[in-house]
Amino acid sequence: MSQRLHYAELAPDLFKKYLDFSLALRQSGLETALRDLVTLRASQLNGCAFCVDMHVKEATLHGERPLRLHHVAVWRESTLFSPRERAALAWTELLTQLPAHGVPEADYQAARAEFSEAELAALSFAIVAINGWNRLSVGFAVVPGSQDRLYGLDQAGLA
């Protein structure tokens, strides 16, 4: 498998601005572990092998337990996630796979029960960001693990 094209090289200004947007999310006030779960879940839903690989490695470097990473795909049945994490994962699924008639009020209220308005806005931007990266990586067939050294992910010891 090889990457179809290298979008970062072909559109460097756009890549840099999108990367800056994504990196700004680190200052959003959302917990790193929560952001890790969200990026992993959206990447699973979008079938982005590159991003699943990347976000498992990132979460590992951030100290996430392996079992919780395995349980992200089955979070609804798992007992390993807090109510706040479960609300974030549910919101991630809703915004990643938008319902035909929008997000139901009950689902919005469930998210608001765990997040302030500002936190929910930040969480939503995090979901928007990962969905964009997923679409780029899937569309251009970015190879899992191909950027590990560049992003320091080789330090996770999961190659």
Side-chain angles (χ1 to χ4, degrees):
M1 174 195 287
S2 63
Q3 188 166 331
R4 292 179 174 143
L5 64 81
H6 296 272
Y7 60 87
E9 295 169 10
L10 295 167
D13 292 340
L14 294 173
F15 173 79
K16 172 121 177 45
K17 288 183 187 310
Y18 200 61
L19 181 61
D20 289 344
F21 165 67
S22 296
L23 292 174
L25 294 166
R26 294 179 180 174
Q27 309 308 315
S28 69
L30 294 175
E31 309 91 277
T32 300
L34 187 77
R35 288 193 326 270
D36 287 340
L37 295 174
V38 164
T39 56
L40 178 55
R41 185 63 186 137
S43 299
Q44 290 171 337
L45 292 169
N46 288 320
C48 184
F50 175 82
C51 294
V52 167
D53 180 81
M54 170 185 258
H55 296 300
V56 164
K57 291 171 182 172
E58 276 185 337
T60 299
L61 288 170
H62 296 151
E64 186 59 78
R65 294 182 309 157
L67 186 58
R68 280 176 36 100
L69 294 174
H70 289 295
H71 277 226
V72 169
V74 294
W75 68 268
R76 290 182 191 276
E77 293 81 22
S78 176
T79 60
L80 299 180
F81 302 102
S82 71
R84 183 174 170 86
E85 291 168 334
R86 298 172 72 72
L89 290 166
W91 192 247
T92 300
E93 289 185 357
L94 282 165
L95 294 190
T96 299
Q97 302 174 313
L98 286 170
H101 300 289
V103 174
E105 183 64 21
D107 292 325
Y108 169 75
Q109 292 301 331
R112 280 288 289 122
E114 294 295 331
F115 294 94
S116 70
E117 288 180 346
E119 289 173 328
L120 191 56
L123 176 60
S124 298
F125 276 114
I127 296 165
V128 166
I130 189 56
N131 275 283
W133 290 118
N134 289 163
R135 280 147 180 76
L136 288 166
S137 295
V138 170
F140 299 124
V142 181
V143 178
S146 63
Q147 303 295 312
D148 282 4
R149 184 170 294 136
L150 177 66
Y151 294 123
L153 300 174
D154 51 339
Q155 301 300 311
L158 296 174

